Amino acid sequence: MKKYTLPDLPYKYDALEPYISKEIMTLHHDKHHLAYVNGANTALDKLDAGRKNNWQGVDIKGIERDLSFNLAGHVLHSVFWPNMKQGGGGKPGGKLADQINEDFGSFEAFKAQFSAAAKAVEGSGWGLLVWDPVNEQLLTLQAEKHNLLSGQNSVPLLVCDVWEHAYYLQYKNDRGSYVDAFWNVVNWENVDELLSNSK
Ligand code: MN
């Protein structure tokens, strides 16, 4: 099977300072994201081996669980990096702004809902803005870990990593301040582009 690869950060490690430190970005991308890429590839290797052995003595349940966790981690981090940029923040424009107004009433209402969801994730996880192709609308979701609670069919557009590894070195246990700071680095052009692609 084809292997997953770690994408480069689309900016320098210190690009998001002072909101997200260089140290966090370096460890987060080079160590944590890489671990999910490697974990997904290890699961693929085990599935290859399982096929060759007709699944004799193979813990396929554990392998599929590992694949789900690590692949979801890889996907969400791959969305997360370009969701942010130096000099980001402000408000969305274009079709994204129209869709947010249609589905949430206003940008302020959306921002409050997304922030509340991200801050309230139990344990490690993510706050998500997704496109729901079933009803053709935007939704907020939480993900616990990387892969629990989310809609199977939803397309992540804007994601906020609220694992402690995303903020602890700078914000300690104050996840709320980190989520509030996140809005200063959001790359709305990227989110708008993902919405257009999803439709
Ligand atoms: Mn992370």
Side-chain angles (χ1 to χ4, degrees), residues 39-130:
N41 288 332
T42 296
L44 293 184
D45 288 341
K46 289 179 179 176
L47 291 172
D48 284 339
R51 281 196 303 279
K52 286 174 187 143
N53 296 314
N54 290 320
W55 308 106
Q56 294 302 308
V58 175
D59 174 21
I60 191 164
K61 188 172 160 185
I63 299 169
E64 298 286 18
R65 182 183 287 126
D66 285 347
L67 180 59
S68 171
F69 173 80
N70 286 288
L71 178 55
H74 173 42
V75 168
L76 289 176
H77 286 92
S78 298
V79 175
F80 185 50
W81 309 130
N83 269 172
M84 302 182 287
K85 69 172 186 179
Q86 189 167 38
K91 292 184 176 185
K95 291 179 179 169
L96 174 63
D98 295 339
Q99 194 71 51
I100 285 174
N101 287 333
E102 186 175 331
D103 293 331
F104 298 99
S106 68
F107 174 68
E108 287 69 27
F110 155 69
K111 187 175 169 183
Q113 181 173 326
F114 184 101
S115 290
K119 292 175 186 181
V121 170
E122 189 171 305
S124 298
W126 299 75
L128 310 170
L129 171 69
V130 304

Side-chain angles (χ1 to χ4, degrees), residues 28-29 32-33 36 73 76-77 80-81 125-126 146 161-166 178:
H28 199 173
H29 176 270
H32 292 280
H33 188 171
Y36 301 128
L76 289 176
H77 286 92
F80 185 50
W81 309 130
W126 299 75
H146 303 304
D161 190 338
V162 294
W163 284 58
E164 285 188 346
H165 68 225
Y178 158 73

